[in-house]
Amino acid sequence: MTAPESDETIQLPIEGMTCATCAGRIEKVLGKVQGVHLASVNLASEQAHITYDPALVQPGVLIAAVGRAGFSVPPQSVRLSIGGMTCATCSQRVEKVLRKQPGVVSAQVNLASEVATVAFLPGTVRVEDLSEAINRAGYTAALAPSDAAERQRLRQAEHRHDAAQLGVVLASALLTAPLVLPMLLMPLGIHLEIPGVVQLVLAAPVQFLIGARFYKAGYAALRAGSANMDVLVALGTSAAFGLSLYELWAGGQLYFESAATVITLVLLGKVLERRAKHGTTRAIEALMALRPDKARVQRDGALLEIPVEAVGQGEVVVVRPGERIAVDGTVLDGSSNVDESLLTGESLPVAKGPGDAVTGGAINGEGLLRVTATAVGEDSALARIIALVEGAQATKAPIQKTVDRVANVFVPAVLAIAAVTLGTWLLTGHAAEPSVLAAVSVLVIACPCALGLATPTALMVGTGAAARVGILIKDAQALELARNVDVVVFDKTGTLTEGRPALRAVRAVDGDEDALLALAASAQQGSEHPLGRALLDAARSRGLALSPVQALQAVAGKGIQATVGGRQLRIGSPRWLAEAGVDLSGEAEAIAAAEVLGTVMVVAEVHGASAVLLGSLAVADPPRASAAQAVARLKAAGVTSVMLTGDNRRTAQAIAATLGIDQVLAEVLPGDKAAHVQALRDQGHVVAMVGDGVNDAPALAAADVGFAMSTGTDVAMHTAGVTLMRPEPLLVADAIDVSRATTRKIRQNLFWAFLYNSVGLPLAAFGLLSPVIAGGAMAMSSVSVVSNALLLRRWRPSA
C-alpha cells in the first residue's frame, strides 16, 4: 500500500532490545497507534522506522508507545554556539527558551564558552527549531564546531570580530577623550571648558551609534520578559545623556562624559573579557589539533593518502617516523618509540612493537610502523577524550545552581534599588542632578557578568589543565565531590601493583617442583586470569611440557577445577580447599610463610569424595614504583588509604605495610567490593574508589567518586567520574589536588563577584561613586574573574 503524500517518516533509536521478539513487540505496539501506517524495527541497528500521519499522531506519542512496550528512546544531544550573550541573565534566558521547546529533556548554557548543550527526544524537535527559538529571544545560534578545522575557522572569525570590536572601542575612546580631558586636567590646576554643543556632537555618536548594541540587546531582553546587563547600561547612560541635554538647554552642569565613558569602558571590558575567555578553551583545541587530517593507507597494493575520516576499520595505515598516528590500532609490523604525552600525560616515549596498541594522535618516533586500524572516527580514544572533556565543561557545578537563582533576580533587583535611590535622594531634598547621577551609578556598577563567569571559567580551565596531564573529569559534580574525598579505596591488582604477577615460590609435597608447576600450568591453559598467566609464563620459561586440559571450571574469587592427563585437580586459595575438605595441616606453616611473599595457590588432586594435597605455589604482583609515594601524598592531604583485595590477609598486610596503607580489606570476593565501599560511605566518609574500570565497575559506581585507572576504555569512561589515562597511582592525589584547586578558584571568583556588588551598590546609592568610576569597575569585574580562573593553567601535577 502506498502511503499518503501527507505522511511523514521518522527513525527512532531504541534501547533495551535483546532479541527478535523485542523488535516484534515494539512493531505491534506502534502498529496499534492511530495514524501509524507502517512500523519496522531493525534489531541490528536498534532503530524503529515509522511512517505516520502527522495530523493524527505526533512523535511524542510514538515515543510514549515505545515506553509502554517496555523499551526507551534515548535522547539525542546537540551543541550550539550562542552569540549575543553579555551576562548571566542572558545564559539563563537562553536555557529557559530551550527548555520550553517540545521534546527538550535538558539544556545547559555555558556563558564562558558560549555553548548550549541540549538533549532532546529524536523526532520531536529539529536543530533548526532550536536555533529559531534562540533567534527569537534576541540571540544567534549555530552548530558548535566538532573538529579542529571547524574550530580553526571559528577562531579566525572570532579574531576578525575581536579586531573589529577593538576598532570600535578605539573610535569610542577617541570621541570620549576630549570629554574626559577637562576632568583629568583639573587636579593640575588647568581649567579647560569645552562648549556644550561640541560635547553633544562628540557624545551623540558614542551613545546612539557605538552604543546602539545596548539598546538592541536590551530591547530584545525586555520583549522576552526579562532584563540583562544591556538594559542596565542602556538605562544608565540614557539617563546621564538625557540629563545633560536638559542641562544644556537650562545652562547647568553637563554629564555627557559620564555616558560616553561608561559605554567606552564597558565595551573595552568586553573585548578584554573575550580575549581572556579564549584562553579557557585551549585544552580542547590542543586535543583537537592532535588528530591528523590525512592518513596513508595500503589499498590494493598501493599506498594512498586519504582523509582520516575515510579510513575504515581493519585497514592498514602506514606511519612514518615523526608523524602523528592517524587512528587507534594495533601494530602489524615495525618497532618504534611513541610519544603519548598529550594524550596520557606520560612524559617518556613508550616502546611499541607488533601486537601493541597505539592511539591516534600520538607521535611516532624513529621507526616505520604499519598499523591495523581498530577504532576510527567518533569511536577513537581521542574523540572520546574530547567528548568527555567537552561534556565536563558543559555541565554545571552544584554551587552554580545557587548562582543561577541569584542571577535570575539580580537585574530586576538592581532596577528596584536604582528607583529607590532616585526617589530617596529626591525626597530628602537633593537636586535632580545628583539624584539622577546616584541612580545612574547604581545601574552602571551592578552587572551579573562576574557572577555568571565565576564558575564556568574556573571549571573549563581546571578540567582542561587536568586533561593535559591525563586526568579526565567526567562532570562538574565529580570535580566538586573529589574535593571532599577523605577515604580512597584502592583495588590492589593493577592499581597499587603492576598487574603482572610472577611466580615467586613452588613447594611440592613429593619434592618434584617442576612436575607440580607443569600440572598447575596445564590446568591454566586458556585462562585469562593474571595468576594463571603467571604460572604459564613460569612453566614456559623453564621449558616444561604442558598436558591437555579438560572440563575446566572457574569459581570466581576462589580458584579452578580441571582435569589434566586424567587427573582431577582443584587449584585455588587455601581457604577454598580447606572448605572442600583438603587437609592442609601438614603444610600450614609453609603456606603461612608463602603468603607473606604473595598470593598462594594450593594444588590438590580429587579422588571421589576425598582430596590429596600436592603442594602450593606463591605468585606475587610487585607494587608500582610510585605507589608508596602516592599513599604518602594522600596521607599528607588528610586522606585515608584503604586497600581492597581478594588476596589472603597475610599477603595483603605485607603489601600494605610496604606501601604505608592505613587499612586493609582482604579476602574480598569480586561481587562484594561494592558492599565494602558502601559500608565506608555509611560511616560518613566521602569515598573514592580506584580500580581498572572493568572488573571494578560496580564498586566504582558505588563510590562517591570513581577513579578508573585505565587507557580510556568504555566501561571506565561511563562508570567512573574520573578517568586516569595512565596507570599511575600518583594521579589519584593529583586529581584530588586539581579538584581542590579548581573549587578554590570557583569560591574565590564567587566571593569577589558578590563582594564587588555588595560593596559597590551601597557606595553608588550613597553617591560616593561617579558613573565613570562605576563603569570602569563594572567592566573590570568580569575581566578579573576570568583572569583569576586562568591562573589555574599554572597548576602542575606532582606525578
Side-chain angles (χ1 to χ4, degrees):
M1 183 180 72
T2 303
E5 291 185 6
S6 60
D7 275 7
E8 292 184 3
T9 59
I10 185 175
Q11 280 196 332
L12 297 178
I14 308 293
E15 278 188 349
M17 292 191 296
T18 57
C19 62
T21 307
C22 300
R25 188 158 82 248
I26 297 171
E27 288 179 355
K28 190 173 182 180
V29 170
L30 287 170
K32 291 180 178 180
V33 177
Q34 184 182 8
V36 173
H37 296 139
L38 177 66
S40 175
V41 178
N42 187 316
L43 177 63
S45 64
E46 297 184 320
Q47 296 271 337
H49 184 86
I50 308 165
T51 303
Y52 66 98
D53 184 348
L56 297 175
V57 63
Q58 293 299 311
V61 177
L62 303 177
I63 292 170
V66 173
R68 288 198 302 275
F71 305 92
S72 62
V73 176
Q76 293 178 336
S77 183
V78 66
R79 299 173 71 252
L80 299 173
S81 292
I82 310 298
M85 294 191 298
T86 56
C87 65
T89 309
C90 298
S91 60
Q92 286 293 296
R93 189 158 84 256
V94 174
E95 280 188 2
K96 286 181 180 178
V97 167
L98 288 170
R99 288 170 181 162
K100 287 180 180 178
Q101 302 310 303
V104 170
V105 177
S106 66
Q108 290 187 325
V109 179
N110 188 318
L111 177 62
S113 63
E114 297 180 330
V115 169
T117 304
V118 190
F120 59 93
L121 295 174
T124 58
V125 66
R126 300 175 304 165
V127 174
E128 294 83 356
D129 298 330
L130 299 175
S131 299
E132 180 58 32
I134 293 170
N135 292 336
R136 286 196 302 270
Y139 305 93
T140 61
L143 280 174
S146 58
D147 60 29
E150 285 184 45
R151 279 182 173 265
Q152 182 62 26
R153 287 193 292 270
L154 180 64
R155 174 52 62 88
Q156 290 171 351
E158 287 177 342
H159 283 318
R160 290 193 296 270
H161 177 269
D162 290 349
Q165 290 304 301
L166 187 57
V168 171
V169 171
L170 289 174
S172 184
L174 288 173
L175 291 169
T176 304
L179 299 173
V180 179
L181 189 60
M183 185 174 62
L184 297 177
L185 293 176
M186 198 174 296
L188 302 176
I190 302 173
H191 297 280
L192 177 66
E193 291 190 13
I194 298 176
V197 174
V198 174
Q199 292 188 43
L200 173 61
V201 170
L202 291 170
V206 177
Q207 183 71 40
F208 299 110
L209 295 179
I210 295 173
R213 68 194 64 200
F214 298 113
Y215 289 102
K216 291 176 183 176
Y219 171 72
L222 292 172
R223 190 181 61 185
S226 65
N228 60 2
M229 181 205 78
D230 301 294
V231 172
L232 298 179
V233 174
L235 280 177
T237 57
S238 296
F241 191 89
L243 178 62
S244 299
L245 279 179
Y246 171 77
E247 294 295 343
L248 179 62
W249 173 76
Q253 177 71 40
L254 303 181
Y255 303 99
F256 286 118
E257 85 285 347
S258 295
T261 304
V262 165
I263 288 174
T264 303
L265 289 174
V266 171
L267 292 177
L268 175 62
K270 285 297 170 187
V271 169
L272 295 175
E273 178 190 311
R274 281 183 62 85
R275 288 174 65 87
K277 279 161 62 177
H278 291 331
T280 64
T281 60
R282 285 187 185 174
I284 286 288
E285 289 167 358
L287 285 170
M288 284 191 160
L290 295 181
R291 188 185 183 192
D293 296 326
K294 302 287 185 180
R296 205 171 285 104
V297 179
Q298 284 186 338
R299 287 183 180 173
D300 301 323
L303 199 59
L304 304 177
E305 191 172 270
I306 63 173
V308 72
E309 297 85 4
V311 179
Q313 193 168 336
E315 289 198 282
V316 176
V317 177
V318 177
V319 188
R320 293 174 178 169
E323 291 183 334
R324 285 200 183 275
I325 299 171
V327 296
D328 292 2
T330 304
V331 177
L332 187 62
D333 56 56
S335 60
S336 185
N337 288 300
V338 174
D339 180 1
E340 300 176 334
S341 58
L342 286 173
L343 285 166
T344 66
E346 173 58 64
S347 57
L348 297 176
V350 181
K352 299 290 184 180
D356 290 334
V358 292
T359 306
I363 301 174
N364 186 25
E366 71 286 351
L368 179 75
L369 297 177
R370 292 173 69 240
V371 176
T372 303
T374 56
V376 294
E378 297 304 310
D379 294 327
S380 69
L382 180 57
R384 287 180 292 159
I385 290 169
I386 292 170
L388 195 69
V389 177
E390 285 186 326
Q393 295 183 344
T395 59
K396 291 188 176 183
I399 196 171
Q400 182 68 24
K401 295 175 182 177
T402 303
V403 177
D404 289 344
R405 286 195 293 270
V406 173
N408 274 333
V409 299
F410 189 86
V411 174
V414 169
L415 292 173
I417 292 170
V420 170
T421 299
L422 177 62
T424 302
W425 276 66
L426 291 173
L427 290 173
T428 53
H430 291 87
E433 292 89 338
S435 303
V436 171
L437 287 177
V440 168
S441 296
V442 168
L443 291 171
V444 170
I445 198 167
C447 175
C449 298
L451 283 175
L453 292 169
T455 299
T457 50
L459 185 65
M460 290 175 71
V461 180
T463 53
R468 190 180 62 240
V469 297
I471 301 169
L472 303 183
I473 299 171
K474 187 176 183 178
D475 53 37
Q477 185 171 359
L479 183 137
E480 194 159 315
L481 281 171
R483 166 186 173 270
N484 297 315
V485 165
D486 62 348
V487 172
V488 172
V489 179
F490 288 96
D491 175 65
K492 178 181 74 68
T493 305
T495 53
L496 291 172
T497 63
E498 294 285 352
R500 294 190 297 272
L503 183 67
R504 293 288 301 276
V506 182
R507 180 179 173 83
V509 172
D510 61 3
D512 191 345
E513 294 180 355
D514 282 354
L516 179 65
L517 176 58
L519 200 62
S522 296
Q524 299 287 351
Q525 290 178 94
S527 171
E528 290 299 318
H529 196 283
L531 299 181
R533 288 199 300 270
L535 297 185
L536 287 166
D537 290 343
R540 292 190 185 105
S541 68
R542 296 190 185 189
L544 303 178
L546 302 182
S547 303
V549 61
Q550 298 172 325
L552 176 64
Q553 181 183 355
V555 181
K558 296 181 178 180
I560 63 168
Q561 297 179 140
T563 301
V564 177
R567 302 172 70 179
Q568 189 176 349
L569 304 177
R570 178 171 290 178
I571 305 172
S573 68
R575 186 172 71 174
W576 182 48
L577 268 72
E579 290 172 353
V582 179
D583 183 9
L584 304 179
S585 58
E587 293 290 311
E589 188 175 332
I591 290 173
E595 283 179 339
V596 177
L597 297 175
T599 302
V600 173
M601 290 180 284
V602 175
V603 184
E605 184 174 356
V606 179
H607 298 284
S610 62
V612 177
L613 178 67
L614 300 181
S616 60
L617 307 100
V619 175
D621 186 7
R624 293 189 183 276
S626 59
Q629 186 183 351
V631 171
R633 276 199 61 206
L634 289 171
K635 190 170 294 187
V639 179
T640 300
S641 298
V642 177
M643 187 171 74
L644 189 64
T645 178
D647 283 351
N648 65 79
R649 187 161 296 280
R650 288 192 184 94
T651 303
Q653 292 286 6
I655 294 175
T658 303
L659 301 180
I661 296 286
D662 299 303
Q663 183 180 344
V664 176
L665 298 173
E667 301 176 0
V668 177
L669 296 176
D672 296 335
K673 290 181 179 179
H676 283 281
V677 171
Q678 185 60 50
L680 288 168
R681 292 184 66 193
D682 292 342
Q683 293 171 20
H685 296 293
V686 179
V687 180
M689 170 70 194
V690 186
D692 61 13
V694 179
N695 300 326
D696 303 310
L700 288 169
D704 291 287
V705 188
F707 286 71
M709 191 176 287
S710 69
T711 52
T713 61
D714 283 333
V715 174
M717 288 191 174
H718 287 119
T719 307
V722 180
T723 299
L724 310 179
M725 292 303 292
R726 65 183 192 277
E728 172 55 77
L730 277 172
L731 285 180
V732 177
D734 288 330
I736 294 173
D737 186 46
V738 75
S739 166
R740 291 178 176 178
T742 304
T743 308
R744 278 197 303 272
K745 282 297 176 195
I746 290 173
R747 295 184 184 278
Q748 286 172 13
N749 283 349
L750 290 174
F751 171 78
W752 289 113
F754 279 112
L755 181 68
Y756 159 81
N757 283 295
S758 60
V759 171
L761 278 171
L763 290 176
F766 284 107
L768 300 176
L769 290 179
S770 71
V772 172
I773 295 175
M778 191 224 21
M780 294 312 297
S781 64
S782 299
V783 178
S784 62
V785 162
V786 179
S787 300
N788 187 46
L790 287 175
L791 293 176
L792 269 173
R793 283 164 50 186
R794 297 193 290 187
W795 177 85
R796 292 293 181 271
S798 66

